[in-house]
Amino acid sequence: MTIALDIFRALADGTRLRILALLRTMELSVGELAQVLGQSQPRVSRHVKILCDAGLAERRKEGSWVFVALGAADRVAPVADALDAWGRLEADHWATADAARLAAVRADRAASAAQWFEANAREWDAIRSLHIAEEQVEAAIGAVLGESKVHQMIDIGTGTGRMLELFAGHAEQALGIDRSSEMLRLARAKLSSHGVDNAELRQADLYALPLGDGAADLAIVHHVLHFAQQPGAAIAEAARVLSPGGRLLIADFAPHDCEELRTRDAHTRLGFSDEQMTTWFAAAGLAPERIETLEGGELTVKLWLARKRASAEQTVHEVKAA
């Protein structure tokens, strides 16, 4: 009864209902919520605290930013079902207005990242090497992946095509995708000069990969996820294109406090914890296989390797869970 009272008290406010609806769409910073709602950050923070106290939302601090996400599914799911049912009884004019302002927030994020990519495309490889020696990262990735051959590889956020240059030879077919046309132009020139002839490059978004379900055996996300607005959604989309038993390799940073990377280099996330990553893996039907920590320099690089569960394994897991 206490939980129910806390939840209903938390929802007894129009602004908090709007916040919950926005968080069902995507994780947002307090500043972005304030932008969408047209309210001050302190006021929004008070509403967020009430939702967090009721278990309907959770906050996560990254540098000077505070991100807000939905709370535990066992708290949120019944509320979401009820709101959806009631929403069918009457139109919500706030939902339409908030959706339009949320689109503007998405556009601002995308424009900031795209502007940086376009301005720094030719220096991208050099910028990566400032953190930890890139050859060490590449050697560690090679050791984790091993020498086994695959039919289809996809490099998500290929940049200048370095992962394709190194590992396309392990695949019958390789695909690199990137949102930046300038990056793809650089990658084409680079791969051609290195004789990589089995790699295709496409302009596409990491949330909408140009492959069918189960089409790939290996997906690589190399120093890309910290630019993602919704890392969990990006991982789920990578898992979608993997065949049962297919592998996902993510190389990115451990949690850090280098705030200048957000303002100077358009990093949306200041690294990821093992707990965050394994939670996203589980939600996407992936089983973690290996975690490597590469210390050195100001930042620590992590490698996370996961494998898509085969159908039989999923069935056994579901039976045990039941």
Side-chain angles (χ1 to χ4, degrees), residues 70-124:
L70 288 176
D74 58 353
R75 295 280 182 109
V76 175
V79 171
D81 290 342
L83 291 174
D84 288 342
W86 294 328
R88 288 191 287 270
L89 300 178
E90 62 175 348
D92 183 358
H93 71 280
W94 282 115
T96 302
D98 288 348
R101 286 190 286 266
L102 183 61
V105 167
R106 290 180 185 269
D108 287 346
R109 283 187 178 185
S112 175
Q115 182 180 12
W116 186 89
F117 274 124
E118 295 294 343
N120 296 276
R122 295 188 183 280
E123 291 79 30
W124 178 231

Side-chain angles (χ1 to χ4, degrees), residues 48-284:
V48 167
K49 182 180 185 303
I50 293 171
L51 290 171
C52 289
D53 290 344
L56 296 173
E58 58 183 32
R59 289 168 294 189
R60 179 172 49 78
K61 195 173 187 302
E62 286 189 4
S64 61
W65 286 29
V66 176
F67 282 91
V68 187
L70 288 176
D74 58 353
R75 295 280 182 109
V76 175
V79 171
D81 290 342
L83 291 174
D84 288 342
W86 294 328
R88 288 191 287 270
L89 300 178
E90 62 175 348
D92 183 358
H93 71 280
W94 282 115
T96 302
D98 288 348
R101 286 190 286 266
L102 183 61
V105 167
R106 290 180 185 269
D108 287 346
R109 283 187 178 185
S112 175
Q115 182 180 12
W116 186 89
F117 274 124
E118 295 294 343
N120 296 276
R122 295 188 183 280
E123 291 79 30
W124 178 231
D125 283 339
I127 290 172
R128 283 179 170 176
S129 69
L130 294 177
H131 306 298
I132 185 173
E134 196 64 22
E135 58 267 22
Q136 292 179 267
V137 177
E138 293 169 356
I141 291 174
V144 168
L145 293 179
E147 297 296 324
S148 59
K149 300 290 185 179
V150 299
H151 172 64
Q152 174 74 63
M153 164 193 170
I154 181 169
D155 181 24
I156 301 169
T158 193
T160 60
R162 180 60 175 166
M163 292 295 101
L164 293 173
E165 181 186 341
L166 290 174
F167 303 114
H170 295 176
E172 295 177 23
Q173 301 172 8
L175 172 66
I177 70 105
D178 206 287
R179 288 186 60 198
S180 168
S181 58
E182 177 66 15
M183 283 290 192
L184 293 174
R185 286 193 290 270
L186 291 171
R188 285 189 179 91
K190 187 174 184 180
L191 294 175
S192 177
S193 68
H194 287 84
V196 179
D197 57 7
N198 68 327
E200 179 185 357
L201 297 170
R202 294 192 211 172
Q203 188 170 18
D205 192 278
L206 78 169
Y207 302 113
L209 298 175
L211 283 177
D213 295 355
D217 309 293
L218 172 65
I220 297 176
V221 185
H222 177 243
H223 285 324
V224 171
L225 207 60
H226 54 249
F227 292 107
Q229 299 177 22
Q230 298 169 276
I235 289 172
E237 176 64 0
R240 178 188 67 78
V241 304
L242 286 176
S243 59
R247 295 175 296 163
L248 171 64
L249 186 283
I250 296 175
D252 219 296
F253 300 121
H256 61 85
D257 296 318
C258 296
E259 186 71 28
E260 66 272 15
L261 291 181
R262 196 196 307 277
T263 55
R264 186 192 68 200
D265 296 334
H267 288 204
T268 300
R269 305 295 178 127
L270 299 184
F272 304 96
S273 68
D274 293 342
E275 182 181 13
Q276 281 178 306
M277 201 64 69
T278 53
T279 297
W280 285 323
F281 284 162

